[in-house]
Amino acid sequence: MAAKLKDVAARAGVSVRTVSNVVNNAAAVAPATRERVLRVIEELQYRPNLAARNLRQGRTGLIGLAVPEVRSPYFGEIAELLIDAAQDRGWTVLVDRTDGTAERERRLLEGSERHTVDGMIMSPWSLTPEELGRHSATLPLVVLGEQETGGTADHVAIDNVTAAREATAHLASLGRRRIAAIGLQPQLSNGTAEQRAQGYREALASAGPHVAEPLTRSVATLHREEGHRAMRGLLDEAEAPDAVFCFSDELALGAIRSAREAGLRVPEDLAVVGFDDIEDGRYSVPSLATVSPDKQQIAERALQCLADRVYGRLGHLPARRVTVPHRLVVRESAGV
């Protein structure tokens, strides 16, 4: 016969309520007690009736994940990690694509979809902080990336300014004198490109007068073809760059292709650093130096923030900003 909640409580020597809190992540439980309850759950092979539990609590057991695009390796990796982590909490993830437009982002937060999910994790590119704050008042919402939020929307991101500064400073430390940047996106309002451009400029300013003034290129997307196009334009300059910092790994891979078509060697003639640490960059030739966000932590912290809102532990407290670690991974394209 299948084990019941009271069986777990009896074996673990705790109350039924404590077991329920562990299963639902609904309240603070001492780590040792939580570990004991989880061990007994595994021993008895207790499986909660998620459908019944959600029905009693007025929840669906579904959460939404809204990303600008699904072709991006970065968002694909984030989605995989979120889906895996959500399963451990008994949630199913519904994934939708917004194309980064305000219309589609707004539709997901205002339309019928919002009534089918317990909460939403979103990477917005176009909605204003005021709109995000307004929607977060009625829907548990966690925002990924650099867009500022209002209301009770929690925000999970890395420190992009610092990350970009470190990437650019590394290129300057290699003795590069004309360091370009590819990835400005003036058509978007999510703040990512602006923050990375700020870090890039700060690093050049700190490098001293022997390093040339900022040299930037805007892109329509963060994909390979745009990196290829932007790099080709940079190589047509009277003084071509000897290093380039790209705001995504896809841009960097496109830039490397363009450089090699022009007969340049990477990193001997052109050092390249990307951003995101996607799998393709680890196996490219040369392997790609990059800023690596802790994507596992992004997924886990975003889900914890969402659980706090869904289960009401934070009530109507102000939004939280969670900064997740990153690291600069130096590979062959930037001197190793």
Side-chain angles (χ1 to χ4, degrees):
M1 189 170 66
K4 297 180 180 179
L5 204 68
K6 63 181 182 181
D7 300 323
V8 176
R11 173 77 68 89
V14 298
S15 68
V16 169
R17 184 176 184 83
T18 297
V19 177
S20 178
N21 286 338
V22 171
V23 171
N24 293 307
N25 283 308
V29 177
T33 302
R34 180 181 295 276
E35 182 63 31
R36 185 166 72 255
V37 170
L38 290 174
R39 186 169 60 250
V40 172
I41 285 174
E42 188 63 29
E43 290 172 359
L44 297 182
Q45 295 187 328
Y46 168 72
R47 296 296 178 264
N49 186 330
L50 297 178
R53 184 185 75 189
N54 288 327
L55 184 62
R56 287 194 305 271
Q57 297 173 341
R59 302 192 183 102
T60 66
L62 306 173
I63 62 170
L65 171 62
V67 295
E69 52 188 27
V70 293
R71 66 172 282 190
S72 161
Y74 173 78
F75 286 119
E77 290 180 29
I78 289 291
E80 287 275 354
L81 291 167
L82 279 167
I83 290 169
D84 288 343
Q87 286 177 340
D88 294 338
R89 294 176 176 270
W91 273 333
T92 297
V93 181
L94 304 181
V95 182
D96 207 341
R97 188 191 75 204
T98 67
D99 295 326
T101 67
E103 178 185 0
R104 295 196 67 170
E105 291 174 356
R106 198 175 292 118
R107 177 181 61 78
L108 281 177
L109 293 175
E110 294 178 349
S112 58
E113 294 89 344
R114 61 164 294 155
H115 300 296
T116 65
V117 297
D118 297 329
M120 185 172 294
I121 297 172
M122 170 179 274
S123 182
W125 278 2
S126 297
L127 288 185
T128 65
E130 292 74 23
E131 287 182 288
L132 291 169
R134 185 169 65 251
H135 292 301
S136 70
T138 56
L139 175 71
L141 177 65
V142 175
V143 172
L144 302 182
E146 291 64 45
Q147 176 64 294
E148 290 301 319
T149 65
T152 55
D154 292 324
H155 183 187
V156 178
I158 70 167
D159 183 341
N160 275 275
V161 176
T162 298
R165 189 190 306 121
E166 292 169 352
T168 308
H170 171 72
L171 292 171
S173 74
L174 299 177
R176 306 300 165 132
R177 297 294 179 263
R178 190 165 170 79
I179 304 170
I182 296 175
L184 290 175
Q185 291 185 288
Q187 74 277 17
L188 297 179
S189 60
N190 68 347
T192 305
E194 288 85 352
Q195 291 183 18
R196 293 177 187 177
Q198 179 184 338
Y200 160 75
R201 293 190 178 98
E202 288 178 2
L204 292 187
S206 298
H210 58 283
V211 175
E213 292 294 312
L215 176 62
T216 61
R217 286 292 183 273
S218 298
V219 295
T221 70
L222 298 177
H223 299 150
R224 291 169 177 82
E225 60 269 25
E226 283 292 286
H228 184 274
R229 178 194 60 78
M231 191 71 239
R232 192 168 58 226
L234 286 168
L235 294 176
D236 288 338
E237 292 276 329
E239 284 189 72
D242 57 7
V244 60
F245 167 47
C246 297
F247 294 3
S248 80
D249 283 354
E250 286 194 84
L251 289 174
L253 293 172
I256 288 173
R257 175 71 184 187
S258 186
R260 299 191 73 161
E261 288 174 352
L264 298 180
R265 301 165 300 162
V266 177
E268 291 85 353
D269 303 316
L270 180 76
V272 181
V273 175
F275 207 113
D276 289 339
D277 195 16
I278 65 174
E279 186 177 20
D280 286 358
R282 297 168 216 156
Y283 295 97
S284 64
V285 180
S287 58
L288 183 61
T290 185
V291 173
S292 178
D294 190 331
K295 286 171 271 195
Q296 183 70 53
Q297 272 219 46
I298 290 174
E300 291 175 356
R301 297 298 297 275
L303 282 169
Q304 183 59 59
C305 286
L306 192 64
D308 288 341
R309 297 293 179 185
V310 169
Y311 294 116
R313 289 197 287 273
L314 296 182
H316 298 290
L317 291 178
R320 296 171 295 177
R321 182 180 180 92
V322 178
T323 301
V324 173
H326 69 272
R327 63 191 179 98
L328 178 65
V329 180
V330 179
R331 299 194 183 105
E332 295 166 341
S333 71
V336 173

